[in-house]
Structure formats: structure tokens, C-alpha cells
Amino acid sequence: MRRLLSCFPGFGGRRPEPVAASLGLGVEGLPAALLQFPPSQIQVLLVPEAEWRIWLLGRVAETALERGLPLHGVLGPGAGGELDACLERSPALGRAVREGKMKLLQWQVRPGEAPVLAPLLEELPLFQVAPEDGLIFLGMEALLHWENPARLQQELPVLQQWVRQRPSGTLFIFSGSGPEALAVASADWAFPDVGKLARVQGCLSLEILRWQGGLLNNCYDLQLAGQGLELEGGMLDGERRRLQAASRQGHVLAMANALAGQVGVPAHWQVLADAAALEQELPTLGAATLLLAYAGRADFVSLVHQVHRLRQAHPRHLKILVREMRSKLRYGEESLLLKAGINGVIYRELGFSRAIQQIHGYSDQIYDGEPCRSLDELLAAAEPDAWAGYLPPAGFCHHVRRMVEQSSLLSIEHCLLRFSLLRRITHLDALEHCHIGRHGDLLTADREYIYLFLFACREPDVEASVNHIFQVPVDTLFEATWIYPGAELIGHTLEHLERQAEHEALPDHSALLAARLAAKARPEDRDEPGPDTPVALDALNLRDNSPVHTLLAQASGAARREQPAWPQPRQVRNFSLTSLARVSASRRG
């Protein structure tokens, strides 16, 4: 009983005369080995999405028919729906099937049937499949014993010998979701030509794992054009993805406010006067380089919105650069812009001639970040809690943990510091000299130490931040300082602080600190507190019910109890007047 059946048994037609042609992708701009497949070899393309298997089948078939190549398609179980969709999208292909220029065969699989290579090769000649005809297999994953290495070693030479007699090419289109993907990728002796067609970061990408003609780990971005596909740009060298021959590559467009009267602007740059001019260019930006301006924090949110919209419209090839003008981007702001879709920042201190060189250096780069769909999530991740200054330990742990978790989307680095006091200094003395003017920077204390959380602060920036926050030299207040950078170490430190609170009541300095600051301030300065007050008093509203004399006793720290072991910081440092001096990494609190 035959298992290979014609999909259109009523249609026939005289067999076309053989021609000297082979299968190929038919996408202009691709290398010659992809436009016309190497003869007498197996070509395999892994295509996970059904939509793109349909496009690929139509593109290869139309190209073969344009070349006058007699063509056969062999469909595996379940591939009939993909064929119907392909014929619906391509009227020319439908006519070719009806006129007998392309013959479609369906393999009927019985329940529990073993792989079908031998019977398939026996039945194909019955349908006038000549050696010089092009042959496309779709959905024929059941062809070989992919999960049985011993059987596979026997079957592959048989398949190779059969394909060597077919000069016009034999293409297998697999979904790539089963064991065949691993077998095809590893058996380079049997499958010399292997590629993968899939969406990568929002773009349709043809990745060539290996292919005759010197193609290895090459990648090409494609885009829909009418009923077919066209090359949008090429990315070569698997280790360093670089763009090649993409639309408008090397073209620089600069917003007028990113130049601000700058002399020496290259003549070939296109200057855009305003957002309306950019809007007109948006559909055709392609792989151009676009220079935007960061003028200050007042316009930052609108800049993020603009970058996000540009990246959604051009996921990979457009280069978006932001040039600092009057103000410098903060670390958290730069992280947000990078996640929203910029390729890089042109820093304010960079001279314009060097800036030009850097801008042109982006010409062959691609944006390799994952496009972020929700701008609201991005903005929320970059926004610290609306607290600044001292909080009791419970409130401190709650807000620090929440901010660290929420900002993980942007991979923002934070730092937590632990200070040991000099013997003559009380907790209130140290807290009183602290000036915090930025939301998200928080202080607390236990019986021995002062803790400072710096939101969106990298470890190299800690020294400058601490010297700015404390109004006196830090070595006049503290004996030593431990730095805990990153979410993991911060989490361990918070757990340690919370374990302390489970065993004993930790002090709350809110009331005493507020009283000290109020007594210290001049009468004309006693207005409503704001984010720029020495310690923002809106952060002093978490209080316990302890009487004042109890808080004073706790603040003095007369009796120190045995504490659990501290998490080991990555670096242990001690502050001096002007710099951070390294202390032995083995030292613990």
C-alpha cells in the first residue's frame, strides 16, 4: 500500500524540460551560495514558527519556478495547513500547482510507524520525481531515527548517496523543536548546509550555522516586501555582530538641539530642526545613526518616551545615541535610556572631534538589547521610593528591599554601607551630620552601626557620594566602613538586620533626631521639610512607642549583645579624609 499520495491528483500537465538550475532562497543581497544552493548536497533550514515556514516554502518555490526548475514538494503529517496558507498567499504558486509545474505529495503516516526513509525513497520515482528536479521536504521530521545514534549512522549515508544524484538541490524545512535540531547541528559531515530562520529581538533573522562557500555563524536580517522577503541588513562574524549593506547605513541624522551652534559639523550629516522633522524621517530611518540631545532632567521623561518609540519602530538596525549637553546623565537615568533602546551616550566632556569619531564608530553596530514593551514598567523601575533620610530599621529594610527588587529590570547597581562609630561618637551625633537630598537614599541604625543605602550608586561612586552626604570628614565620625554592592549582598545584610530585630527591640531615633534638627535650625529655616533639608523629615514618621528616656539609653549603646555573623562584603574599606583605603578583606564586623 502506497503511503505517498498526490495532493492534487486531478492536475497533470506535460513534464517541463530539465534546466541547469538549482534551488535557492531568492532574496537579493544574500551570498551566492544562498541564492543558488550548492548542488548534490543536503540543505537544512530550521524554522520554529509556522508563519515563516510558509513564507520560506513560498519564496524557495517561486524562485525555482522563475528559473524554470521542475519542482516537487513532499509534505509530512500536519503540513497540509501550511501548504494551504502558502498557496493562498501566492497566486503564482497556486497556478504552478494547477498547471503541473510544481507537484505536491503528501506522506501518509500510520499510527506508531517507524521513520520512513527507505519506503520514501522507493515510492518517489513512482511520481516521476527525476534526479534533476528540485525537491522540498516540509514537516518530514519522521524521516530518520534522530534519537537512535546507531540507526542514524546507518541511515545518513543512504540519504547522502541518494542526494548526490540530485544536482538541483534537496531542501529540508524542519521546525527545529525536536531531536532533529541537535542531530542536524552536530552531524556536519552529513549536513554541510544548515541555517535557522527565526525572530530575534523583533526582527526576522536568517542565521547560517554553516554553509558551503565559507559561511560560518553568519546572520542576515530579513523583512517582508510585498509577497516575499528582502535583505534588511547583514551581520557577520558570530563573535562580533556587525551590520553590512543595510539601508541608510552610515547616514547620520542629528537633532538641532544636539548640536546647539556647534562648529565643524560634517557636511554629510542631516540636521533635523524639531520633532516634526524627525517624524517625517521615522519610516525610512533604516540603519541610520540618530543623535538626540539630553538637555536636563526637565525633559528626561519625554526623551525616554521618544527613544522607546524609535526603538519599537526600528528594533535592531537604527543607532540611537544621546549627547549630554548642559547636564550630565545620572547613572540611573543612563541605565533607563539604555533599556529603553539607545545604543550609547556621547558624554559632555568629550570634545566634538572625538564625538564625531565615536558617532561614526557606531555605523556597523546593532542594538542587541531585548526591546521592552512596557514603558510604564521601565519608568517605575527607575523611580526610587519617595523617602529620603533616616528611617527606623523596619521601615529601612522594607523600602530598601522594595527598591532593589523593583529596579532589577534595569540591572541598576545599588550599594549599602555599614559604619562603625568612633567611641566618642553617638548614633545621634553621626545622624545629625548627615545631609541627604535625594529620594531613595536612606539611613538607619542598630545598637552598634549606622547603615546608609545609596540608590542607583555604583561602587566606584561611593566615596564621592559619602563625602557629599556627610557634612564633616567621615573619619571624625566612623572607625571603619563596610561596602555591600549588589542585590545579593544587600539582601544578606538586610536579613541580618531583621534577625536582630526578631531577638530585641532596635532603637528608633526618629523623635530625638527630629528634635535635635529643629533645635539646631534657625527660626527662619523652620519651614515645611523638603527633599533638600539636611535629613528629610518626611522620612521620620515611623516611630515606636518608646519613651524618650528609653531612646536615649538605647542611643548610648551601653550594653552590646552578641550579634549573628555578618555577611562577608566583597570589599572591606576604611574611609580617610580624601580617599577610601583598603582594609584586610578578612575583617568582619
Side-chain angles (χ1 to χ4, degrees):
M1 177 181 175
R2 287 184 189 172
R3 284 167 286 183
L4 193 61
L5 304 176
S6 174
C7 294
F8 296 90
F11 298 113
R14 188 170 62 87
R15 173 180 173 79
E17 292 297 325
V19 294
S22 67
L23 297 176
L25 289 182
V27 178
E28 187 177 352
L30 289 176
L34 296 174
L35 292 176
Q36 189 146 321
F37 293 162
S40 304
Q41 294 289 348
I42 302 173
Q43 282 83 37
V44 177
L45 287 173
L46 308 174
V47 189
E49 297 181 45
E51 176 185 3
W52 301 116
R53 289 196 294 273
I54 294 168
W55 280 107
L56 180 62
L57 174 62
R59 182 65 270 179
V60 174
E62 288 175 358
T63 301
L65 294 171
E66 289 168 2
R67 296 171 179 173
L69 178 67
L71 188 62
H72 299 265
V74 180
L75 309 177
E82 296 179 16
L83 170 66
D84 293 340
C86 184
L87 296 178
E88 182 180 346
R89 290 186 180 184
S90 176
L93 199 58
R95 286 194 303 271
V97 171
R98 291 191 296 271
E99 295 170 2
K101 296 178 181 178
M102 177 179 181
K103 294 183 179 179
L104 298 172
L105 308 174
Q106 179 86 50
W107 183 263
Q108 304 297 313
V109 177
R110 299 166 182 169
E113 186 175 31
V116 296
L117 176 63
L120 174 67
L121 299 185
E122 290 174 2
E123 294 190 18
L124 278 174
L126 301 177
F127 292 87
Q128 296 182 324
V129 180
E132 62 270 12
D133 295 349
L135 197 55
I136 304 175
F137 291 87
L138 176 65
M140 289 292 290
E141 281 82 357
L143 184 67
L144 301 169
H145 288 82
W146 301 108
E147 296 183 278
N148 187 330
R151 292 291 300 275
L152 192 61
Q153 291 288 332
Q154 297 172 1
E155 293 170 336
L156 286 178
V158 175
L159 180 61
Q160 278 186 302
Q161 182 62 33
W162 180 75
V163 169
R164 286 195 186 103
Q165 302 171 16
R166 311 193 58 80
S168 296
T170 305
L171 172 64
F172 291 88
I173 301 176
F174 294 143
S175 67
S177 57
E180 74 281 353
L182 180 60
V184 166
S186 57
D188 55 350
W189 59 274
F191 302 103
D193 302 330
V194 181
K196 183 176 181 179
L197 183 67
R199 278 202 174 274
V200 179
Q201 299 169 340
C203 289
L204 182 62
S205 181
L206 174 64
E207 182 181 0
I208 301 302
L209 304 181
R210 59 179 177 268
W211 207 275
Q212 295 175 83
L215 304 181
L216 181 67
N217 290 333
N218 293 4
C219 189
Y220 306 90
D221 279 356
L222 307 176
Q223 62 185 0
L224 297 179
Q227 295 295 320
L229 297 170
E230 69 179 13
L231 182 66
E232 186 179 4
M235 290 163 291
L236 307 179
D237 306 329
E239 294 297 324
R240 178 180 179 264
R241 301 292 193 184
R242 65 179 179 87
L243 204 59
Q244 183 184 52
S247 171
R248 300 193 79 179
Q249 183 178 352
H251 192 85
V252 178
L253 299 92
M255 300 302 295
N257 62 345
L259 299 175
Q262 183 75 54
V263 296
V265 177
H268 65 277
W269 284 18
Q270 181 179 348
V271 180
L272 304 177
D274 50 28
L278 176 58
E279 187 69 25
Q280 291 181 348
E281 296 285 341
L282 182 60
T284 60
L285 285 173
T289 301
L290 178 62
L291 184 63
L292 304 176
Y294 172 69
R297 290 178 181 85
D299 300 322
F300 178 71
V301 174
S302 63
L303 176 62
V304 174
H305 278 271
Q306 185 180 40
V307 168
H308 184 261
R309 181 166 177 265
L310 288 164
R311 186 53 68 198
Q312 293 298 311
H314 300 276
R316 297 246 281 182
H317 294 171
L318 176 65
K319 274 72 66 179
I320 307 174
L321 305 177
V322 170
R323 186 185 182 200
E324 295 176 337
M325 301 301 290
R326 297 186 299 272
S327 304
K328 285 193 63 65
L329 286 161
R330 290 176 174 174
Y331 163 60
E333 293 170 336
E334 182 175 343
S335 299
L336 176 55
L337 284 171
L338 287 168
K339 191 67 176 181
I342 69 170
N343 295 73
V345 175
I346 308 299
Y347 297 109
R348 187 178 64 181
E349 58 269 21
L350 193 66
F352 190 60
S353 60
R354 295 290 300 276
I356 293 173
Q357 183 180 2
Q358 184 175 348
I359 291 166
H360 288 162
Y362 280 92
S363 173
D364 64 352
Q365 293 192 17
I366 63 168
Y367 179 71
D368 56 4
E370 284 294 334
C372 183
R373 299 299 177 190
S374 173
L375 187 57
D376 291 338
E377 288 183 10
L378 277 183
L379 293 171
E383 186 69 22
D385 288 359
W387 297 86
Y390 175 83
L391 283 174
F396 177 87
C397 291
H398 168 77
H399 286 283
V400 170
R401 181 170 280 112
R402 202 200 72 81
M403 287 188 285
V404 170
E405 291 175 356
Q406 180 171 286
S407 62
S408 62
L409 176 64
L410 299 179
S411 302
I412 292 178
E413 182 181 342
H414 314 281
C415 283
L416 180 62
L417 285 75
R418 177 166 60 100
F419 301 93
S420 64
L421 297 163
L422 292 170
R423 291 188 177 277
R424 66 178 184 276
I425 302 296
T426 68
H427 291 71
L428 283 174
D429 292 335
L431 294 173
E432 175 179 9
H433 289 294
C434 181
H435 176 104
I436 288 182
R438 194 176 68 134
H439 281 167
D441 292 347
L442 301 176
L443 278 164
T444 197
D446 61 11
R447 296 187 180 279
E448 293 191 58
Y449 302 103
I450 298 288
Y451 302 83
L452 171 63
F453 173 73
L454 298 174
F455 181 86
C457 180
R458 294 164 292 193
E459 188 176 356
D461 301 325
V462 164
E463 179 183 2
S465 299
V466 169
N467 288 335
H468 177 74
I469 286 173
F470 287 98
Q471 298 173 319
V472 297
V474 290
D475 68 342
T476 64
L477 301 173
F478 306 116
E479 179 184 20
T481 303
W482 289 261
I483 303 175
Y484 299 89
E488 184 178 359
L489 286 174
I490 291 174
H492 291 331
T493 307
L494 295 179
E495 291 171 5
H496 185 280
L497 197 55
E498 289 166 335
R499 285 197 299 270
Q500 286 190 72
E502 292 175 0
H503 294 90
E504 59 180 319
L506 294 180
D508 179 356
H509 300 289
S510 301
L512 291 177
L513 181 58
R516 277 207 185 189
L517 293 173
K520 185 177 179 181
R522 297 190 303 273
E524 59 268 26
D525 292 334
R526 296 180 188 175
D527 297 327
E528 288 298 319
D532 294 323
T533 53
V535 175
L537 299 186
D538 59 347
L540 304 180
N541 63 349
L542 296 180
R543 307 163 185 266
D544 64 18
N545 296 321
S546 305
V548 172
H549 68 272
T550 304
L551 286 173
L552 283 169
Q554 291 174 347
S556 65
R560 296 187 174 185
R561 304 184 184 181
E562 189 68 25
Q563 301 289 354
W566 280 100
Q568 181 67 31
R570 193 156 57 227
Q571 291 184 338
V572 183
R573 300 172 179 231
N574 195 22
F575 280 105
S576 67
L577 280 170
T578 58
S579 65
L580 291 166
R582 186 178 298 274
V583 179
S584 169
S586 63
R587 178 173 179 178
R588 293 180 178 268

